[in-house]
Each structure stands twice: as C-alpha cells, then as structure tokens.
Amino acid sequence: MASRRGDSKFLQRRGAVATLLLAAALATPLALAGPQAAAWARSVFDGARGDLPKHHLRIVEKRQLSMLLSQGGAVASATEQVFNNSHTYIVFRDPSDRMLLGWKAHMVLAFTSFAAFEAAAAQGIPPRFEAVLYDNEAWPLTPAVERSHPHRYARRFKRLAHQNHEIFIAAPSLDGYGEGSLFFGDAREADILDLQDQPWESAPALFSDRLRGAAGWARSHNHGLRVVVEISSNPARDCPGQTTCSQRQLRRTVGDVVQNQSVIDGFWLWIFDSEAGEADGAYMVEVMARKIRDGLLF
C-alpha cells in the first residue's frame, strides 16, 4: 500500500471516516448470515499438511530475517528467540532457497498471483515448502482479472494448495470490505489470514477497532481460520511526518500486537527496506523478545 504522511488532525479525520465505512461494510455481509454462513463453514485443513502449530503464529520474510541476524549481538539473539521455533513461518520468494541451518521454522513459498502459483505447481514445488502464500494486492504484480474476482481466485488457490498438501496463507491488502475486495475473497478461503492495516498502526485505538471488526467478520465466514496481524517498521506508518521514529513510537507499534492478543493468533513483522526501517525493525524485534521473556507476548 502507498506510504502516507500527515499530521494528527489529518489522521483523526481520516480515521473517523474509515471507521464509519468499515462499520457499514461489515453490516452488509453479516446480514447474509444464517444458512449461508453455515454453507461457508468448513474444515480448512481438508487436504492440507497436518494441523497448524498449536502455538500462536509468527511470520517473517527470509530476506529480512537474514538482515536481522547479520547484525549479530543482541539483535541476532533477539531474532532467534522470536523466530527460531516451530510456530514461525518464514516467507521465501525463491523456490531454490533453503531453510537456515539448524532452524526449526516452517518454509512458505510466496506468489503474487494464482497464475504464478499454478505454473509453479505444474513444475513441482519442493516439498520442503509446507505452506504457500497468496500475496495479492492492488498492484500490477497481481493480474487485474484476479483482483476483479478475488473470491474465485482465492478459492482456486486454496483448492490447489490443499491438493498439494500445503497450508494456504493469504496476505491481501485491506482495500475495502465489500464483496469485490481482496480481503473478502481471501478471508473466506485461507487457512491463515494476514491482516494488513499498517496505515493505522500509529493510532492504537483505531487500529484495534478495525482489527477486531475484520477478524470477527473473517472468522464468522471461515471456520477454523487463524488470523495474524501485520505491523511494519516503515516510519510513514509508525510516525507519520517523520523520517525516523522514537523508541516510544516503536514500542507503541509493538503494543498494537500486545494489546490485541485476545483476538489474533499471531503476528507478521515486516521490516521496511530503508536504513531507518531496518534500524527500527531491529529495535522492534528486541522489544518483542523482552515481551516474550516477560510473558507479555505470545
């Protein structure tokens, strides 16, 4: 999603409008509950590879993980504590890549389109990848036909993933909650749904309200769905209008996860690709490690 900068008044005005739109959008599909909701309920693991880890889930990109580990010292130690475990999913973009030596996490192969996933599956996806990611967003990397028919392609993605005994992770941009939105399609079909609402992570109350509404709607239409929330080290998200963030602002963003643990099943930490973003991401990992050690973060 595009970067956003602005002052607190702008954020408040935009947040108020977004909250009203979200409430209206959620009300419409929920009115269709009842027999239709029962028809959508399913075991999301019919054909997937076993069960998901019983622990809460953590997701990180391999390239970003490697960057954190390369810093050594306290950052590398915190990174291992947070992500070197059996309930972490590491996202790879290259099918020839391999897991870090000695790591216990699961491997995920990412695709920005169903067309790319279908072509790769025909060639044979290495069995070391236990899950596949549909990173469909409002960008040119996801074909227009897929963006125009989100539920159709999410359903096809899930069907093919389960045929190959792979867990289906979806990470749609939250471009809206109506029937034509990417969220609408992915939420109904995914095994794990990554909720991307990073433009609001600097406003904890609004972030929580939107997260709870979206997670509740998704679970009501997809029995057994696991929901994670994504937070970013992008300064435009954590501290709009600034080029770098204070430690207090970064702790507040981690707090978006801590404060919503009752409604989510885990988190995805996205390290923004800039000098400031990488430094801020390293600090956020250290904060997460301390929260985990203190029993304050799953």
Side-chain angles (χ1 to χ4, degrees):
M1 292 177 280
S3 296
R4 175 187 56 81
R5 298 179 183 272
D7 58 25
S8 59
K9 291 183 178 179
F10 171 79
L11 179 64
Q12 292 170 1
R13 290 197 300 270
R14 184 175 172 185
V17 173
T19 301
L20 291 173
L21 292 174
L22 173 61
L26 290 176
T28 300
L30 284 174
L32 302 177
Q36 291 187 22
W40 285 113
R42 64 181 64 80
S43 170
V44 296
F45 301 117
D46 50 353
R49 181 179 303 183
D51 293 329
L52 287 170
K54 298 185 186 306
H55 300 284
H56 286 86
L57 309 175
R58 302 168 190 174
I59 303 178
V60 65
E61 287 259 356
K62 163 68 182 322
R63 180 183 60 82
Q64 298 168 3
L65 180 65
S66 297
M67 179 275 297
L68 292 168
L69 292 172
S70 70
Q71 298 190 34
V75 174
S77 178
T79 300
E80 285 218 42
Q81 179 184 341
V82 175
F83 294 116
N84 186 7
N85 49 64
S86 61
H87 44 285
T88 288
Y89 282 77
I90 301 177
V91 177
F92 295 77
R93 302 284 172 171
D94 182 351
S96 68
D97 212 342
R98 293 184 175 274
M99 178 60 73
L100 296 168
L101 186 62
W103 274 56
K104 305 171 185 176
H106 305 274
M107 296 181 70
V108 183
L109 188 57
F111 299 93
T112 56
S113 70
F114 171 75
F117 174 41
E118 186 176 44
Q123 295 295 319
I125 294 174
R128 61 181 175 274
F129 292 100
E130 300 177 48
V132 286
L133 169 70
Y134 191 20
D135 190 9
N136 55 333
E137 303 195 31
W139 57 6
L141 298 177
T142 302
V145 65
E146 295 186 30
R147 288 184 274 120
S148 298
H149 303 281
H151 189 205
R152 177 192 306 170
Y153 283 93
R155 186 169 57 237
R156 293 178 67 181
F157 203 106
K158 181 196 76 170
R159 185 181 302 122
L160 183 55
H162 285 195
Q163 286 174 358
N164 293 335
H165 307 291
E166 295 154 346
I167 290 167
F168 171 26
I169 303 175
S173 59
L174 288 180
D175 56 343
Y177 293 80
E179 187 170 346
S181 72
L182 299 175
F183 167 85
F184 176 91
D186 287 353
R188 290 175 177 270
E189 302 297 338
D191 300 329
I192 302 173
L193 182 70
D194 170 46
L195 292 179
Q196 293 197 58
D197 211 16
Q198 297 96 310
W200 311 107
E201 64 189 28
S202 64
L206 178 58
F207 186 90
S208 294
D209 285 346
R210 289 172 58 86
L211 170 60
R212 290 167 186 266
W217 188 92
R219 289 194 177 102
S220 73
H221 290 76
N222 187 342
H223 175 69
L225 175 68
R226 304 289 292 275
V227 175
V228 301
V229 65
E230 185 170 332
I231 57 172
S232 168
S233 68
N234 184 350
R237 308 308 196 196
D238 295 320
C239 48
Q242 302 172 209
T243 56
T244 60
C245 300
S246 68
Q247 291 185 347
R248 179 188 61 80
Q249 290 169 319
L250 297 171
R251 290 195 299 271
R252 178 194 60 203
T253 297
V254 174
D256 287 335
V257 175
V258 175
Q259 295 166 14
N260 288 289
Q261 292 179 90
S262 63
V263 296
I264 57 177
D265 298 295
F267 61 85
W268 180 326
L269 176 62
W270 178 268
I271 310 297
F272 188 64
D273 188 15
S274 72
E275 184 176 348
E278 292 182 357
D280 290 352
Y283 179 72
M284 292 167 74
V285 168
E286 292 188 83
V287 173
M288 287 179 162
R290 288 198 296 270
K291 297 288 186 183
I292 291 169
R293 286 197 299 269
D294 294 341
L296 301 176
L297 177 63
F298 44 52

